[in-house]
Amino acid sequence: MSQEENIKEKETIIIQAARKRFAHYGFSKVTMDEIATDVEMGKASLYYYFPTKEDLFRAVISQELNELQKNIELIMIEPNSASQKLKSYVEQRMIFFQKLLNLGTLSVHAYFDTKSLFKKIFLDFADVEMSLIKKIIDEGKKSNEFNPDLNDNTAEVFLHILQGLRCNVLRWAKGQGIDDDIRVNLQKEMMIATDIFIHGIIKR
Amino acid sequence: MSQEENIKEKETIIIQAARKRFAHYGFSKVTMDEIATDVEMGKASLYYYFPTKEDLFRAVISQELNELQKNIELIMIEPNSASQKLKSYVEQRMIFFQKLLNLGTLSVHAYFDTKSLFKKIFLDFADVEMSLIKKIIDEGKKSNEFNPDLNDNTAEVFLHILQGLRCNVLRWAKGQGIDDDIRVNLQKEMMIATDIFIHGIIKR
């Protein structure tokens, strides 16, 4: 194994251990000491790979994002209608946010904190999403499944609806946090909104 | 004029003067002294009618809400389709929020402040809106304009989409404030979302 492969492997082991801890206890409650113990490494060695807990956390989130992106690529190559692709994408998106919640990332506070660690990650992710939705809608227009005269901003509006439904829920949840009822209801609203939206852009 | 009428008239004069000031300078920059001068009243008299600037402001907002409610009632009795009513309502809603912005109420900060003066006002308003949208959608279902099998939460989802689009914009605008471009774009997105939504619930 080359030194580079060796580093990569160590990183993967650390990220997996951290992921488990974060998912169990939430970001804020986990210490670097605990993660070092999990991977049977000295604290100094751990810091060599990840200088701060934030760096490690960012690596965990990046991994989740990569996974999401792979799932989205699968959606795109499946021989489904554009409507079905849009639905599958919304489902994958909800699963992803559920994971973030479990990891303790998406606290109501972190969500609205403009200086949050995760703002850049979320912004980059929004770009990926935007081009994906555009692609699906263009596909649907070309195949005559969707109305070809759709407004150019249709993809943008759809993404903003999805983002907005979550924003709205978290806004009212501020100070309380997000319980299971709120989560389930949000997912339900997203599916209803998606269904109506698809109906609304399908060609008659 | 009875004493009661007299009080009512004084209050109306004060509210109108305050409204002008707030619209010009924004809530935070206006003082009770200035308003007292505007209505040629001693400060003590002004405080008799409105003990705090917040009370006065709440009265201004209530007046705007009453006006909105009147406009909405007009929409409901006009002999239009349910689709048109829904559109008119969204337009009135946008005009109302524009007024709030002008009054300096709806700063990004105030919007996300759960202890904000205006949270209760907004919550009450949301109830009014919800029953209005339900009414329009039920009307459309009965007249066979809308799909009679629509999900029971359709009205809720529609209101949450409208609230969400604004929430999302303000979330990204935090720390910067809302300029004209952002406002115009938000209104555009609301109209596109409304059109697609209506298309999506119309009976085929």
Side-chain angles (χ1 to χ4, degrees):
Chain A
M1 204 188 283
S2 74
Q3 212 206 336
E4 207 176 295
E5 283 169 338
N6 198 11
I7 290 177
K8 198 95 208 106
E9 201 191 292
K10 278 269 164 60
E11 281 180 357
T12 307
I13 292 169
I14 296 168
I15 290 172
Q16 274 169 352
R19 204 197 163 292
K20 266 192 207 156
R21 280 250 163 220
F22 290 143
H24 221 98
Y25 302 100
F27 172 67
S28 56
K29 290 204 185 86
V30 174
T31 66
M32 289 294 265
D33 279 326
E34 289 166 333
I35 295 168
T37 308
D38 287 347
V39 294
E40 296 173 354
M41 215 179 250
K43 210 178 165 185
S45 311
L46 177 60
Y47 279 111
Y48 168 77
Y49 294 102
F50 296 99
T52 68
K53 192 169 76 163
E54 280 73 19
D55 290 321
L56 182 46
F57 199 41
R58 228 175 274 134
V60 171
I61 303 295
S62 287
Q63 205 200 35
E64 295 295 348
L65 273 172
N66 284 344
E67 224 169 89
L68 174 65
Q69 212 149 352
K70 265 184 225 154
N71 291 339
I72 285 178
E73 276 159 29
L74 285 181
I75 291 171
M76 291 307 288
I77 56 172
E78 268 169 34
N80 282 327
S81 66
S83 307
Q84 186 51 53
K85 283 179 184 173
L86 216 47
K87 270 192 205 182
S88 303
Y89 151 70
V90 174
E91 278 160 12
Q92 286 298 331
R93 190 179 192 273
M94 291 193 305
I95 292 170
F96 171 69
F97 272 98
Q98 190 54 49
K99 277 191 199 166
L100 289 190
L101 273 169
N102 291 344
L103 287 171
T105 321
L106 202 68
S107 74
V108 178
H109 178 75
Y111 184 81
F112 286 110
D113 180 7
T114 39
K115 280 168 202 131
S116 154
L117 264 175
F118 313 106
K119 187 161 190 188
K120 196 184 165 329
I121 296 177
F122 284 140
L123 281 173
D124 289 347
F125 176 52
D127 287 344
V128 173
E129 288 191 290
M130 188 67 87
S131 57
L132 173 80
I133 299 172
K134 275 207 179 107
K135 215 168 147 187
I136 299 178
I137 289 181
D138 281 344
E139 226 179 86
K141 277 170 151 183
K142 262 181 215 144
S143 67
N144 254 333
E145 181 182 342
F146 293 157
N147 180 355
D149 303 325
L150 285 178
N151 189 295
D152 284 342
N153 294 89
T154 302
E156 218 166 335
V157 171
F158 184 59
L159 178 58
H160 291 168
I161 287 174
L162 295 179
Q163 291 176 337
L165 287 173
R166 180 177 311 275
C167 184
N168 200 47
V169 163
L170 294 181
R171 180 186 161 217
W172 295 116
K174 261 182 108 174
Q176 303 159 41
I178 316 150
D179 63 24
D180 272 344
D181 283 357
I182 294 180
R183 269 181 249 188
V184 170
N185 194 49
L186 174 60
Q187 298 198 340
K188 195 175 132 195
E189 288 202 348
M190 282 192 181
M191 287 321 297
I192 295 173
T194 302
D195 279 341
I196 291 177
F197 194 91
I198 290 172
H199 270 261
I201 62 176
I202 277 180
K203 201 186 168 192
R204 287 154 199 251
Chain B
M1 201 188 282
S2 75
Q3 212 206 336
E4 207 177 295
E5 284 170 337
N6 197 12
I7 290 177
K8 197 94 208 108
E9 200 190 292
K10 278 268 165 62
E11 281 181 357
T12 306
I13 292 170
I14 297 169
I15 290 173
Q16 273 168 352
R19 203 195 165 292
K20 265 191 206 156
R21 280 250 164 220
F22 291 143
H24 221 97
Y25 303 101
F27 172 67
S28 56
K29 290 203 185 86
V30 174
T31 66
M32 289 294 263
D33 279 325
E34 288 166 335
I35 295 167
T37 310
D38 286 347
V39 294
E40 294 172 355
M41 216 179 246
K43 211 177 163 184
S45 312
L46 178 60
Y47 279 111
Y48 167 77
Y49 295 101
F50 296 98
T52 68
K53 191 169 77 164
E54 281 72 20
D55 290 322
L56 183 44
F57 199 42
R58 227 176 273 134
V60 172
I61 303 295
S62 287
Q63 206 200 34
E64 296 294 348
L65 273 172
N66 284 343
E67 226 169 86
L68 174 64
Q69 212 150 351
K70 264 184 224 154
N71 291 338
I72 284 177
E73 276 160 28
L74 284 180
I75 290 171
M76 291 307 289
I77 55 173
E78 269 170 33
N80 282 326
S81 65
S83 308
Q84 185 52 53
K85 283 180 185 173
L86 216 47
K87 270 192 204 184
S88 303
Y89 151 69
V90 173
E91 277 160 12
Q92 286 298 331
R93 190 179 193 274
M94 291 195 304
I95 292 169
F96 172 69
F97 273 98
Q98 189 56 49
K99 277 191 200 165
L100 290 191
L101 272 169
N102 292 343
L103 287 171
T105 321
L106 202 67
S107 73
V108 177
H109 176 75
Y111 184 81
F112 286 110
D113 180 7
T114 39
K115 280 166 202 132
S116 155
L117 264 176
F118 312 106
K119 186 159 191 192
K120 195 185 167 327
I121 296 178
F122 283 139
L123 281 173
D124 289 347
F125 176 52
D127 287 343
V128 174
E129 288 191 289
M130 189 67 90
S131 56
L132 173 80
I133 299 173
K134 274 207 180 105
K135 214 167 147 187
I136 298 178
I137 289 181
D138 281 344
E139 225 180 88
K141 276 170 151 182
K142 261 180 215 143
S143 68
N144 252 334
E145 181 183 342
F146 293 157
N147 180 355
D149 303 324
L150 286 179
N151 188 294
D152 284 343
N153 293 89
T154 302
E156 217 165 336
V157 171
F158 184 59
L159 179 58
H160 291 168
I161 287 174
L162 295 179
Q163 290 176 340
L165 287 172
R166 181 176 312 275
C167 184
N168 199 48
V169 163
L170 293 181
R171 179 187 160 216
W172 295 115
K174 258 182 110 176
Q176 302 158 43
I178 316 150
D179 63 22
D180 272 344
D181 283 356
I182 293 180
R183 270 180 247 187
V184 170
N185 194 49
L186 174 60
Q187 298 197 342
K188 196 175 130 194
E189 288 201 348
M190 283 191 180
M191 287 321 297
I192 295 172
T194 302
D195 279 340
I196 292 176
F197 193 91
I198 291 172
H199 270 260
I201 62 175
I202 277 179
K203 199 185 169 194
R204 288 153 200 250

